[in-house]
Amino acid sequence: MRRVAVTGIGVLTALGEGRDETWKGLLEGRSGIGPIRAYDPSSLRTRIAAELPDFRATRYAHRRSLRMTTRNDQLAVAGAALAVEDAGLDLEGSGHDPERAAVFVGGNKEISNPEHLLTGSLAARREDGTADVRQLGERASSAFYPLYFVEGLQSGSLFHLSHAHGFKGANSYFHGTADAGATAIARGFRSIRSGESDVVIAGGFDDASSWWVMSKMDGLGVLTTDNDRGAEAFRPYDRDRGGSVLGEGAAFLVLEEWESARRRGARVYAEIRGAGTTQDPDLVSPREDGRPLAQAVRRALSEASVAAGEVDYVATHGCATRLGDLTEARALTSVFGRDSGVLASSVKPATGHLVAGAGALNAAVCAMAIDGSAVPPTLHLERTDPGCAGIDWVPGQARELRVRTGVALARGLEGQQVALVLSAPAVEA
């Protein structure tokens, strides 16, 4: 099987735009969570989020092409552009065949721009306030934004990324929550490993702090309502945890076949060596023993030919729900043993929960930890829940560590469990 190198990391979070800014913020223990400012959140129970402070899509694409995009798509465009720039990748200059250059993305897009939806929908409103579908059909052509249906295409990001970077090979869009971006990276890994592709852009993105996503998640009971606590309301594995805080952003990797990356002199952050996926049969509430997640980790380690004792760091899901954290802790102790010495941390209290981008961000964090010989902390963990004991969650402050092998986790609300194994680049396999 061919080896898969990570040669580019594009990260866009509330901590900053680009790999360096986010990594610096993580190691410094900063958080991008604060009061929602993009809209009036008073109708929501959760009124805090990790918003991008100064995002301008025109930094990454021409204004004309952005007419067909939603903010969700724009985050994908930005994350991929940052990854390609970081990799120093030019298809023509590198000798890569565009038809063997693939794009795999994970997102959570559901609608066109909400303002266009609302404006058009008013055309169906009777005088008494009820909806008239026949009236909507008569007026739709003039009432809706001309590109309304184009901008609303779920997998539109595939077109925008392929068009921007000239990638013409295999492609897939994965819809979901934290599992989506991680699954996209797993697909990219397998595409190169099997010989289908030579270079891949893969990752996840989400405008999870938007009103549309917040309004959905607000009623599921998975978000904290402790608004007065601000950023400290997000506290994975803590006795006092009460749920997640959402954030917007993107995380993308450039993956390359090992030998072609070496020939062009690319910087290799890490090597992806294995991926594992399983399905938890319960929706929202995971199986209490954590077995499905444990099995995903074991499958990834098996494919990577890595023993559990060789793992130095785990970038955890850490969503701060009562059962979610407990089952994750049980899964990790099942795989690695209690008090094994493996370090594990969740970056979500710093970046917010990026939903469809969360698993991809964990993969990027593993690659940065391997390259930077340090692991980020789990913020706001003051009193570990006894049910989560037995794992070193790196509370409070980052630690220096030579990370030879890391595992990135993602857990979807729909029950999907994903694990990726990344290792330090070695000259010999």
Side-chain angles (χ1 to χ4, degrees):
M1 290 290 185
R2 306 195 311 166
R3 297 171 67 186
V4 181
V6 178
T7 59
I9 301 174
V11 182
L12 183 71
T13 71
L15 295 175
E17 296 186 20
R19 170 182 55 81
D20 290 342
E21 286 298 312
T22 290
W23 186 238
K24 183 172 182 286
L26 289 175
L27 295 186
E28 289 177 350
R30 291 191 280 112
S31 175
I33 293 172
I36 293 174
R37 304 189 185 281
Y39 55 89
D40 181 359
S42 59
S43 63
L44 303 173
R45 293 186 301 170
T46 300
R47 296 183 291 278
I48 55 176
E51 298 175 303
L52 300 180
D54 186 31
F55 175 67
R56 294 201 305 274
T58 50
R59 293 174 180 167
Y60 306 99
H62 294 297
R63 190 177 301 276
R64 183 174 180 179
S65 65
L66 294 174
R67 292 176 61 237
M68 297 186 295
T69 64
T70 63
R71 184 177 177 86
N72 193 291
D73 297 320
Q74 291 167 11
L75 297 176
V77 169
L82 288 166
V84 170
E85 179 183 15
D86 187 55
L89 183 65
D90 172 61
L91 281 187
E92 292 184 6
S94 65
H96 283 303
D97 180 354
E99 294 187 358
R100 292 180 59 79
V103 179
F104 302 110
V105 299
N108 190 33
K109 179 180 177 181
E110 293 183 339
I111 63 171
S112 304
N113 283 309
E115 61 271 24
H116 295 157
L117 171 65
L118 295 173
T119 300
S121 297
L122 290 175
R125 189 176 185 271
R126 297 189 183 99
E127 290 186 4
D128 64 1
T130 59
D132 185 333
V133 177
R134 179 177 178 178
Q135 181 173 294
L136 175 64
E138 293 172 348
R139 300 178 180 179
S141 60
S142 59
F144 281 95
Y145 175 64
L147 298 174
Y148 174 76
F149 295 105
V150 174
E151 72 179 13
L153 293 172
Q154 257 191 338
S155 58
S157 53
L158 282 178
F159 164 76
H160 298 300
L161 269 57
S162 299
H163 180 72
H165 304 290
F167 283 38
K168 300 179 181 179
N171 60 89
S172 293
Y173 172 82
F174 300 91
H175 189 87
T177 52
D179 55 288
T183 300
I185 292 174
R187 174 69 175 89
F189 159 69
R190 295 247 164 80
S191 184
I192 292 177
R193 194 173 174 96
S194 68
E196 177 186 47
S197 304
D198 295 323
V199 59
V200 168
I201 298 172
F205 55 96
D206 210 324
D207 58 343
S209 63
S210 67
W211 183 88
W212 182 264
V213 180
M214 286 285 293
S215 65
K216 291 190 306 175
M217 303 290 280
D218 202 52
L220 291 179
V222 296
L223 303 183
T224 179
T225 58
D226 196 1
N227 299 292
D228 293 339
R229 211 168 192 171
E232 293 188 6
F234 202 163
R235 41 202 320 114
Y237 315 113
D238 193 274
R239 293 184 186 184
D240 197 24
R241 67 190 182 279
S244 294
V245 178
L246 302 186
E248 58 181 344
F252 278 82
L253 302 180
V254 171
L255 310 179
E256 292 186 67
E257 190 276 323
W258 186 272
E259 291 301 324
S260 63
R262 190 176 69 170
R263 282 194 300 270
R264 76 175 185 90
R267 174 182 182 178
V268 177
Y269 291 97
E271 179 180 358
I272 299 184
R273 297 179 58 186
T277 60
T278 58
Q279 177 71 38
D280 193 312
D282 295 319
L283 186 67
V284 181
S285 298
R287 179 169 157 165
E288 292 192 6
D289 61 4
R291 177 177 166 81
L293 178 59
Q295 287 297 93
V297 175
R298 290 190 175 101
R299 290 179 183 181
L301 292 173
S302 176
E303 182 175 37
S305 298
V306 170
E310 297 177 70
V311 175
D312 302 298
Y313 173 64
V314 181
T316 66
H317 185 65
C319 64
T321 61
R322 301 304 301 181
L323 188 55
D325 284 4
L326 283 174
T327 57
E328 185 170 32
R330 289 165 183 162
L332 294 183
T333 53
S334 171
V335 174
F336 300 107
R338 192 177 179 86
D339 301 316
S340 64
V342 65
L343 300 187
S345 66
S346 170
V347 300
K348 288 181 176 63
T351 65
H353 190 327
L354 302 193
V355 188
L361 178 60
N362 277 350
V365 166
C366 270
M368 292 187 287
I370 289 168
D371 181 70
S373 296
V375 298
T378 301
L379 299 180
H380 316 135
L381 175 52
E382 297 171 354
R383 298 186 305 158
T384 303
D385 185 320
C388 298
I391 298 289
D392 186 341
W393 302 111
V394 196
Q397 293 183 330
R399 293 191 209 163
E400 293 184 358
L401 178 72
R402 183 189 172 200
V403 181
R404 295 158 297 182
T405 298
V407 175
L409 302 181
R411 309 183 78 184
L413 275 175
E414 318 89 334
Q416 288 89 344
Q417 316 288 308
V418 185
L420 299 166
V421 175
L422 294 84
S423 292
V427 176
E428 299 296 333

